[in-house]
Amino acid sequence: MVITIARQFGSGGRKIGKKLADRLGIAFYDKKLITLAAKESGLDPEVVKSVDEKATNSLLYALSLGAAATFDSTFHIDPQIPMNDRLFLVQHDIIKKVAADPCVIVGRCSDYILRERRDCVKLFIYADIDDRVDYAMQVYRIPEEKVMGVISRTDKSRENYYNYYSDGQWGDPGNYDLCINSGKLGVDKTVDFIISYLELRGMV
């Protein structure tokens, strides 16, 4: 079983994913994928961080259709490919590799990359804007005068990334098995709810 989590900024999606993985006793991947991508590919870790979950402006590589044609199993990537696309190609391959074992993966088009896996549970975590503002200010210490801008820019970046590298729409309920308003339950009860859902499906 693999669980993928797409999330709005300020919804607590990453924290929910980490607690869910801990409860299930399985691996958790979020920014760890950046470290793995840099290590496996030889890309500069700082450059990798700067382009993570950001799409290029070109119309290159509507992946994962052409992924296999642009790199090999040793991560030899055409250096003429824009860095954003190179990172996606590497993470595409790493996501498929780590998904060989049970895990929770946050973001990075993981639901799309693993869409053919019958044991992949695809979640979308969202929340009302007031709840997201409160969460972002408390957890990320974002000043009140800046928080709405950060939420808007981050969500737009995630939406552009997903829509560019997949053939779906970020946040479209049709892409996910379950969409959860975490603001109504809070982090811990959202994790409880997800586990109950997995039990009903006979997956845990």
Side-chain angles (χ1 to χ4, degrees):
M1 176 183 66
V2 178
I3 300 166
T4 65
I5 297 179
R7 73 287 186 216
Q8 290 182 329
F9 185 79
S11 66
R14 184 192 179 281
K15 184 177 287 188
I16 289 166
K18 183 65 172 66
K19 288 198 171 192
L20 178 63
D22 290 344
R23 287 273 300 274
L24 295 173
I26 60 179
F28 173 75
Y29 296 98
D30 178 24
K31 294 189 183 300
K32 185 188 297 186
L33 288 170
I34 303 174
T35 303
L36 290 172
K39 181 179 178 181
E40 295 283 358
S41 67
L43 299 173
D44 185 318
E46 293 305 314
V47 174
V48 166
K49 288 180 184 179
S50 71
V51 300
D52 182 47
E53 286 200 295
K54 295 182 177 68
T56 60
N57 293 321
S58 65
L59 295 177
L60 293 172
Y61 316 111
L63 288 192
S64 38
L65 300 176
T70 52
F71 67 98
D72 61 27
S73 60
T74 56
F75 297 97
H76 293 157
I77 307 171
D78 185 344
Q80 294 182 349
I81 296 175
M83 179 60 72
N84 308 65
D85 294 322
R86 293 167 67 188
L87 177 59
F88 180 81
L89 286 163
V90 174
Q91 288 193 131
H92 175 283
D93 196 61
I94 289 174
I95 284 169
K96 289 207 165 186
K97 289 179 184 295
V98 300
D101 296 312
C103 62
V104 174
I105 305 174
V106 174
R108 292 154 186 85
C109 287
S110 52
D111 61 286
Y112 178 74
I113 291 168
L114 300 174
R115 65 194 182 282
E116 296 180 1
R117 288 273 301 264
R118 296 179 64 87
D119 64 341
C120 180
V121 179
K122 302 178 287 294
L123 308 177
F124 186 80
I125 308 297
Y126 67 100
D128 297 340
I129 190 61
D130 289 345
D131 293 323
R132 295 165 64 198
V133 165
D134 289 344
Y135 187 91
M137 290 174 61
Q138 292 176 17
V139 175
Y140 299 117
R141 305 296 182 187
I142 301 173
E144 184 176 3
E145 65 273 14
K146 295 182 178 180
V147 68
M148 286 297 296
V150 172
I151 288 173
S152 178
R153 288 192 298 274
T154 305
D155 279 356
K156 192 63 179 176
S157 178
R158 289 174 180 173
E159 180 182 14
N160 289 342
Y161 180 86
Y162 187 90
N163 295 354
Y164 176 76
Y165 288 112
S166 78
D167 61 359
Q169 293 289 318
W170 183 77
D172 179 353
N175 294 329
Y176 312 102
D177 299 307
L178 190 63
C179 298
I180 308 170
N181 187 334
S182 60
K184 302 301 183 186
L185 295 174
V187 170
D188 291 331
K189 288 184 178 179
T190 297
V191 173
D192 292 340
F193 181 75
I194 294 169
I195 290 176
S196 295
Y197 171 77
L198 296 174
E199 290 173 345
L200 286 170
R201 287 189 56 181
M203 304 187 80
V204 295

